Amino acid sequence: MSDKDSKENEKVHTDFKERMTYGEYLHLDELLSAQKRLSSHHDEMLFIIIHQVSELWMKLILHELTESIYAIQKGELASAFKMLARVSNIQVQIIHAWDVLSTLTPAEYIEFRDKLGQASGFQSYQYRMVEFALGYKTPHVLKIYQKSPELHEELTRAYESPGIYDAAIQKLAEAGLDISSDVLHRDYTKLYEKDPTVEKAWMRVYKDVDQYWDLYQLAEKLVDIEDRLQQWRFRHMKTVERIIGHKTGTGGSSGVGYLKKVLDHRFFPELWDVRTSL
């Protein structure tokens, strides 16, 4: 070891009797002990970790989406752009998680699938909150969470709140673009349906980028997020098909059939239609 390396090592902190460690800061004892297999099968560890990691990423997505909605409402679009760009990059990580899970073969999964009972990713409350933040409101899913009054209340608040597209449309109106009052004062618990005044407003933005630069940037950030969410949904569907074919999901859904159906939903329809109209 060189004298330089020796001196560098002398600077490294090694006495943590009175100091917080890396593991303590991250609560690694709790985090790394949360992978509890219900079977003795080797590959159940993969199944658990992939889903736990995805839930952690979704926690960060929700953190960023929630704050970005507030930022848009306050007119702090530059801050919102940074958060939304981060969301898009997080989505890339979750999309690639399916590549790891797809190494699980049908023969391997069937060895522990029965241990899951009725537990299913369909019940992920964080994923539902992501959908709510993006404006996809489906009332029947709230019933899944009645077991926990506190969680049900949290989900209900998110269900009744405006989504990020509602905040974006409000900005269109504040910029002087003509938006139907029915859209501006709509019931946020209803699934958003495209509106001709909103499409016309986005058309104006895309035709006069210099005048509406911030709104144009916002539109493209939203397109990025929807694009990657649909990529995630597609990879989810293909991974499920690869592992269990067209069997019914553990949560009772039609499995691949359900996942194919939701691929048809568009979160920000006018932002896609305007591309054809330009």
Side-chain angles (χ1 to χ4, degrees):
M1 182 182 294
S2 68
D3 290 341
K4 182 179 179 181
D5 289 337
S6 178
K7 290 179 180 178
E8 284 297 320
N9 287 338
E10 289 176 4
K11 298 177 182 178
V12 175
H13 295 294
T14 57
D15 182 3
F16 287 93
K17 291 178 181 178
E18 305 296 331
R19 297 173 179 170
M20 178 178 65
T21 66
Y22 170 82
E24 288 169 338
Y25 174 65
L26 295 177
H27 297 274
L28 288 182
D29 285 347
E30 299 169 49
L31 185 65
L32 299 179
S33 63
Q35 296 74 44
K36 303 185 187 301
R37 289 182 291 170
L38 298 179
S39 74
S40 60
H41 197 277
H42 172 84
D43 293 306
E44 189 182 355
M45 184 63 75
L46 162 69
F47 191 81
I48 292 171
I49 288 177
I50 285 293
H51 287 85
Q52 288 182 338
V53 168
S54 294
E55 289 291 338
L56 283 172
W57 280 129
M58 279 191 280
K59 182 172 184 176
L60 186 52
I61 286 175
L62 280 170
H63 179 69
E64 302 295 342
L65 274 180
T66 301
E67 288 300 315
S68 66
I69 291 172
Y70 294 150
I72 293 168
Q73 290 171 333
K74 291 185 292 184
E76 298 172 358
L77 294 184
S79 295
F81 296 159
K82 175 66 180 292
M83 298 173 204
L84 295 176
R86 183 174 292 161
V87 168
S88 294
N89 281 286
I90 297 167
Q91 288 176 297
V92 173
Q93 303 302 314
I94 298 184
I95 291 167
H96 287 318
W98 294 119
D99 295 334
V100 182
L101 187 58
S102 66
T103 64
L104 181 68
T105 69
E108 292 162 346
Y109 181 50
I110 202 170
E111 290 293 323
F112 62 85
R113 187 181 190 233
D114 287 347
K115 297 292 185 181
L116 304 180
Q118 279 71 57
S120 165
F122 183 82
Q123 298 147 15
S124 168
Y125 71 86
Q126 290 199 122
Y127 178 69
R128 295 303 171 191
M129 291 184 73
V130 169
E131 286 189 328
F132 292 170
L134 297 179
Y136 187 58
K137 307 292 182 73
T138 47
H140 67 278
V141 301
L142 290 175
K143 296 178 182 178
I144 298 171
Y145 311 101
Q146 290 176 339
K147 181 178 181 179
S148 170
E150 185 176 337
L151 177 57
H152 187 268
E153 183 180 347
E154 182 180 359
L155 279 153
T156 300
R157 281 197 301 271
Y159 180 76
E160 295 173 347
S161 298
I164 195 166
Y165 200 45
D166 295 303
I169 291 172
Q170 186 67 49
K171 287 297 141 187
L172 290 173
E174 290 176 11
L177 297 164
D178 185 30
I179 303 294
S180 166
S181 61
D182 289 341
V183 175
L184 294 174
H185 303 98
R186 76 184 194 88
D187 181 352
Y188 298 129
T189 66
K190 304 297 183 183
L191 192 64
Y192 178 80
E193 295 183 4
K194 67 178 183 177
D195 179 87
T197 64
V198 174
E199 183 174 354
K200 186 177 180 180
W202 283 126
M203 178 71 75
R204 178 82 179 275
V205 168
Y206 274 83
K207 283 187 172 181
D208 196 346
V209 172
D210 290 339
Q211 181 177 351
Y212 299 107
W213 175 251
D214 283 348
L215 290 172
Y216 171 73
Q217 286 281 85
L218 177 58
E220 287 298 293
K221 291 288 188 292
L222 294 179
V223 169
D224 287 343
I225 288 172
E226 178 166 352
D227 188 351
R228 285 177 179 164
L229 182 63
Q230 294 294 55
Q231 290 181 48
W232 182 90
R233 283 176 158 181
F234 179 79
R235 290 297 296 125
H236 184 189
M237 181 269 292
K238 294 306 293 183
T239 303
V240 170
E241 185 175 22
R242 176 173 178 156
I243 296 174
I244 69 168
H246 289 263
K247 292 187 182 75
T248 300
T250 51
S253 75
S254 59
V256 169
Y258 169 79
L259 295 173
K260 282 184 176 179
K261 182 180 177 181
V262 297
L263 278 171
D264 292 332
H265 175 74
R266 297 189 302 170
F267 292 86
F268 318 127
E270 294 89 355
L271 291 179
W272 297 98
D273 289 343
V274 76
R275 283 156 162 74
T276 303
S277 302
L278 275 170

